[in-house]
Amino acid sequence: MIEITSKDNSLIKKISKLNTSAKQRREQGLFVAEGLRLSIDAMLSDCEITALLITEKALNKYSESINKLIEYSSTSYLVKESVFNSISETKTPQGVLCLIKTLDKKSLFDTIKDNGKFLALDGIQDPSNLGTILRTAEAIGIDGVILSKDCCDIYSPKVVRGSMGAVFRLPCITVNTIRDFLLEHKNVKSFASVVDNVAEKINEINFSKPCIAIVGNEGNGVKQETIEACDKKFTIPMLGRAESLNASVAASIIMWEMMK
C-alpha cells in the first residue's frame, strides 16, 4: 500500500479538482465516491475502482470490509488523517474514498426498450434533488433516466452520495436536449409534467409501456420546446395554497404513478 502524507501529492490535487469540477470529471473520465457504504456499493456494482484511499483509523475500524476493497481496487493508498480531511466532502469523514472510472451506459439507450418506463429530467440544477430522484427511481423500478445536458452533473459528490449508490446501477444518459431525444424516439409515448389546471390529472394518465415522463427545472419547469414535443401534458393536483412541489417530490409522485 502506498502512503500519502502531503496535501501537495499529485493524486490529492487531482481528487480536489474532481470534487469541484464537472469539466475535470468529464475530461478525466473519473469521479469520487466517499464513505465505506458507497465504496462497497461501487465494488458490488462492478465499478472500476482505480484508486482506494483510506486512513489508518478507518483501516483499523473497518478492517474486514476495507481488505475486500483493497483486494478489488487497482491501487490502494494509506493517507494521513489531515490530508484525507482536506479532500473530504463530508462533515465527519469515515476515512474511505474511491476514485471510480466513469460508467458507460450509453449503449443501454441505443435502442430504447419497447416495454420500458423512463424518467427524463429537463434542466434539474440541485444536486440534492438529482441524488434523491435517482435513489427513488432505482427503488421504484424505473428502467432508466435521461438527463438534458444543462442538468447538474450526475457524478458530482453530492449527487453520488444522495443517490445512495443508485448512480452505479441505474441506466442514465445525458443528451443534448430532451426535445431532440423525444423526436428521435417517437415510438415512445411522452408526457410532460406542468403546473396547469387545464392539463390532465396525473391519476387519469395511462402510463402504458413504452413511455417517458418529463420533470422540469426547479424554478422554470419543463421547457416549452420539450412540452411541444410531448404527446400529452399532465399536472399533479394540489390542495391548499401550494403552487408547486419540490422537483424531487414531484418526480417521486410521478414515478410512483407510472409504476402502479
Side-chain angles (χ1 to χ4, degrees):
M1 192 181 299
I2 304 168
E3 289 192 25
I4 297 178
T5 58
S6 172
K7 296 177 184 178
D8 291 327
N9 178 276
S10 59
L11 180 60
I12 297 300
K13 289 182 177 180
K14 175 190 281 190
I15 290 171
S16 294
K17 290 179 180 179
L18 291 171
N19 274 334
T20 57
S21 172
K23 181 181 177 183
Q24 287 292 321
R25 291 190 288 269
R26 285 193 300 271
E27 289 179 353
Q28 297 192 38
L30 296 167
F31 68 101
V32 178
E34 183 182 348
L36 181 63
R37 180 174 178 177
L38 267 181
S39 299
I40 292 293
D41 266 356
M43 178 181 69
L44 295 178
S45 302
D46 296 324
C47 296
E48 185 178 339
I49 299 176
T50 63
L52 170 68
L53 284 75
I54 55 174
T55 62
E56 187 174 356
K57 183 178 178 181
L59 181 59
N60 292 331
K61 187 174 182 179
Y62 312 111
S63 58
E64 185 177 349
S65 296
I66 286 179
N67 283 331
K68 292 178 183 177
L69 284 167
I70 290 172
E71 185 177 347
Y72 179 84
S73 305
S74 298
T75 314
S76 300
Y77 299 85
L78 187 64
V79 184
K80 186 178 178 182
E81 199 84 30
S82 59
V83 176
F84 189 95
N85 290 343
S86 72
I87 56 172
S88 173
E89 291 282 302
T90 61
K91 291 182 180 179
T92 53
Q94 288 184 301
V96 183
L97 181 150
C98 283
L99 198 57
I100 302 173
K101 189 173 180 181
T102 302
L103 309 169
D104 182 10
K105 298 179 179 179
K106 189 177 185 303
S107 60
L108 297 171
F109 288 85
D110 285 344
T111 303
I112 199 166
K113 292 181 181 179
D114 291 332
N115 62 345
K117 292 186 177 182
F118 298 84
L119 183 73
L121 304 177
D122 200 13
I124 293 292
Q125 292 295 303
D126 188 326
S128 296
N129 279 338
L130 181 52
T132 299
I133 290 170
L134 297 179
R135 181 181 181 182
T136 306
E138 183 188 29
I140 289 177
I142 291 295
D143 290 292
V145 177
I146 302 105
L147 303 95
S148 60
K149 70 175 182 180
D150 57 349
C151 284
C152 58
D153 182 21
I154 194 173
Y155 294 121
S156 77
K158 285 185 178 180
V159 175
V160 173
R161 286 198 306 274
S163 77
M164 293 298 288
V167 70
F168 304 142
R169 298 176 292 273
L170 187 68
C172 301
I173 57 165
T174 300
V175 298
N176 196 35
T177 69
I178 300 300
R179 172 189 175 276
D180 289 347
F181 186 87
L182 295 178
L183 293 177
E184 291 169 8
H185 297 87
K186 292 184 178 180
N187 62 308
V188 183
K189 203 80 170 174
S190 53
F191 305 90
S193 58
V194 297
V195 180
D196 186 344
N197 290 332
V198 300
E200 289 187 61
K201 294 180 176 59
I202 188 171
N203 56 303
E204 297 171 352
I205 295 291
N206 178 18
F207 290 107
S208 57
K209 301 177 182 180
C211 67
I212 301 175
I214 298 95
V215 176
N217 173 269
E218 289 86 347
N220 301 316
V222 178
K223 298 181 184 72
Q224 186 58 38
E225 65 173 26
T226 307
I227 294 173
E228 291 172 0
C230 286
D231 296 300
K232 285 187 179 182
K233 56 183 181 179
F234 67 89
T235 189
I236 300 172
M238 290 177 286
L239 302 177
R241 299 174 66 180
E243 294 183 355
S244 63
L245 294 170
N246 170 275
S248 63
V249 172
S252 298
I253 292 172
I254 292 165
M255 289 186 285
W256 177 259
E257 287 289 335
M258 288 177 74
M259 302 304 292
K260 280 171 61 175

